[in-house]
Amino acid sequence: MQNFTLHTPTKIIFGKGQIAQLSNEIPKDARILLTYGGGSIKYNGVLSQVHDALEGYTVEVLGGIEPNPAYETLIKAVEYVRHHEIDYLLAVGGGSVIDGTKFIAAAVNYPHDDLWEILTTCGAYITSAIPFSCVLTLPATGSETNNISVISRRKTGDKLHFVSSVIFPQVAILDPEVTFSLPSRQTANGIVDAFVHTLEQYLTYPANAKVQDRYAEGLLMTLLEEGPKALKEPENYDVRANIMWTATQALSGILGAGVPQDWATHMLAHQLTALHGLDHAQTLAIILPHLLQEKRSVKHAKLLQYAERVWKFTEDSEEEQINHAIHATRQFFESMGVKTRLSDYQLDGSSIPAMIKKLEQQGLVALGEHQDITLDVSKRIYEASI
Ligand code: NZQ
Ligand code: ZN
């Protein structure tokens, strides 16, 4: 096992009716800006639950944070916060609203004028952030308890992330009932995203990290079991609860502590969203099976472990077991309604040179657990994904 430092300070409040706890967590004299997305929280009752919980507080409201949150929108929000004496943020939404709110929190007192620098330097110069909490409405990204934020800049076609020790949410409210209203597409997206997060911290090479391995296998098997049920029974509380808790843990930091990681699928996938606007999970479902195929020899031992322990493929030759596991992974995504080829999204691969150029500009030229996913390898993965 590798050395690691793990700090996951977000307080998690999980369960039915727990939005009401906000008043026990947020200081009474806070001047709050509640941030949200396109309005789902208005029709599913989440916004009114939050307002009820915050009765007596000073609360201003700012909507319009879009999926794959746009830098262009967020910098306006930063100005708003600077001019309205806001001292606490409350994100109510999915990963996009939470990521956008992390950006606002870190940008308000950023020491330099160019706020895009936060992304190009991966948060290196952030010194402080406004305190904030979140009410999660879409289990997927793990943003609710981690210190990562992914922001897109529409004008330049960039989708970049930053990390900072000051952008952990203080409190994350996880009420599975608020996910009953998710459209199937977003339910499936969340399950695919959590599945891929788990695989990217698991399918590398053995590090004799037995707890992390079995933890990852447990999360994967839970998603395989509960994912299809969530589509069939969207109001099944236990199913939603298991998915919500799995997605949080898939990217809370604990799974990747002490083990090698391979975030190449995410890096290649981000270019597809930036250029073509595909959902985050759709892009992962396109890239992952081809990346596993391309890197199957260096990932051999863990792919075999994945095949045997998660999929129970034990009969055939090792290579056959790995073939079956990669195929079954793709089939799982498809069975959830998330297509796995560029052509399924009416893309013919003509944008591959542009995506390779972006990877190069962003310095993403040696990805993977062995830093051996060069631009040539990325190109082959994109081409295989058509
Ligand atoms: O905007 P509203 O109206 O709220 O609707 C949203 C949005 O249209 C809707 N939705 C959310 N909760 C709902 C709901 N609709 C009905 N009922 C509910 N309870 O779902 C749509 C998608 O929401 P979004 O927040 O965009 O989805 P997700 O949570 O998948 O977040 C995706 C973003 O997170 C980033 C992605 O790259 C992408 O930008 N990621 C963040 C990570 C992190 N911070 O650690 C890691 C991930 O790998 C990922 O990159
Ligand atoms: Zn993801």
Side-chain angles (χ1 to χ4, degrees):
M1 200 184 306
Q2 301 173 348
N3 293 356
F4 64 86
T5 302
L6 180 64
H7 181 64
T8 54
T10 301
K11 179 171 180 177
I12 298 168
I13 302 180
F14 188 99
K16 279 182 201 180
Q18 295 306 302
I19 291 174
Q21 297 267 9
L22 280 171
S23 59
N24 300 327
E25 302 299 330
I26 301 180
K28 297 284 178 228
D29 59 352
R31 294 179 57 85
I32 303 170
L33 180 67
L34 186 164
T35 51
Y36 69 94
S40 69
I41 63 165
K42 289 183 182 165
Y43 72 74
N44 64 10
V46 173
L47 182 60
S48 62
Q49 284 190 60
V50 173
H51 277 312
D52 289 350
L54 295 178
E55 213 186 314
Y57 281 83
T58 304
V59 184
E60 298 193 31
V61 177
L62 190 90
I65 300 180
E66 51 287 270
N68 308 304
Y71 174 73
E72 291 84 349
T73 304
L74 298 170
I75 51 175
K76 291 183 198 147
V78 171
E79 282 309 307
Y80 185 92
V81 172
R82 284 178 175 163
H83 293 107
H84 286 78
E85 293 175 24
I86 302 292
D87 58 19
Y88 200 99
L89 304 179
L90 178 64
V92 185
S96 294
V97 173
I98 301 173
D99 282 7
T101 305
K102 287 174 173 176
F103 177 84
I104 300 166
V108 168
N109 295 319
Y110 191 65
H112 305 153
D113 289 340
D114 176 14
L115 297 181
W116 184 243
E117 182 195 83
I118 293 175
L119 280 306
T120 56
T121 60
C122 200
Y125 301 111
I126 296 171
T127 48
S128 65
I130 300 183
F132 74 100
S133 291
C134 63
V135 175
L136 178 69
T137 64
L138 200 180
T141 62
S143 186
E144 61 276 15
T145 71
N146 71 31
N147 64 340
I148 308 166
S149 167
V150 186
I151 305 297
S152 298
R153 192 173 191 177
R154 302 289 194 263
K155 197 178 78 179
T156 57
D158 284 296
K159 182 173 183 181
L160 297 175
H161 72 280
F162 73 98
V163 296
S164 168
S165 59
V166 298
I167 59 160
F168 285 104
Q170 290 193 332
V171 178
I173 306 268
L174 274 57
D175 177 350
E177 281 191 328
V178 310
T179 69
F180 289 178
S181 63
L182 280 169
S184 338
R185 170 169 153 190
Q186 298 303 342
T187 296
N189 278 348
I191 287 160
V192 169
D193 195 19
F195 200 87
V196 175
H197 293 162
T198 308
L199 286 185
E200 289 191 281
Q201 298 162 91
Y202 170 74
L203 279 181
T204 56
Y205 56 84
N208 202 5
K210 297 191 173 195
V211 173
Q212 292 91 325
D213 277 5
R214 292 199 163 99
Y215 192 4
E217 288 151 7
L219 297 183
L220 295 169
M221 289 162 80
T222 306
L223 293 168
L224 291 176
E225 256 173 50
E226 303 299 292
K229 291 187 206 162
L231 292 183
K232 283 199 204 88
E233 306 166 47
E235 303 208 357
N236 182 325
Y237 179 84
D238 289 327
V239 169
R240 292 294 198 178
N242 278 295
I243 287 172
M244 199 169 213
W245 191 219
T246 304
T248 296
Q249 291 175 83
L251 199 46
S252 71
I254 193 166
L255 199 60
V259 296
Q261 303 182 22
D262 169 13
W263 291 98
T265 295
H266 267 71
M267 297 304 117
L268 268 64
H270 283 344
Q271 311 309 328
L272 276 170
T273 299
L275 219 59
H276 300 293
L278 267 53
D279 293 352
H280 175 56
Q282 293 172 339
T283 63
L284 301 174
I286 293 168
I287 300 294
L288 180 87
H290 305 287
L291 183 135
L292 295 181
Q293 213 33 280
E294 173 73 33
K295 302 308 295 177
R296 59 184 291 157
S297 57
V298 287
K299 293 181 184 290
H300 180 93
K302 290 304 283 286
L303 274 168
L304 192 62
Q305 181 177 323
Y306 172 58
E308 288 175 355
R309 293 197 192 169
V310 176
W311 292 103
K312 317 294 177 205
F313 296 141
T314 51
E315 300 288 306
D316 300 310
S317 70
E318 293 188 353
E319 291 307 323
E320 277 301 301
Q321 287 179 46
I322 290 172
N323 282 343
H324 292 329
I326 296 174
H327 180 71
T329 305
R330 176 198 290 281
Q331 286 305 112
F332 173 60
F333 297 161
E334 294 271 349
S335 75
M336 295 297 296
V338 185
K339 298 286 182 196
T340 57
R341 292 198 172 275
L342 285 174
S343 50
D344 294 323
Y345 301 90
Q346 290 73 54
L347 297 174
D348 61 4
S350 52
S351 64
I352 293 173
M355 292 193 286
I356 294 293
K357 200 165 164 207
K358 271 288 172 203
L359 287 174
E360 187 173 16
Q361 278 172 6
Q362 295 170 0
L364 302 172
V365 297
L367 299 169
E369 67 273 25
H370 300 292
Q371 294 81 53
D372 58 357
I373 302 185
T374 59
L375 292 179
D376 285 344
V377 179
S378 294
K379 185 160 173 272
R380 282 207 295 277
I381 294 168
Y382 281 134
E383 284 169 351
S385 309
I386 299 171

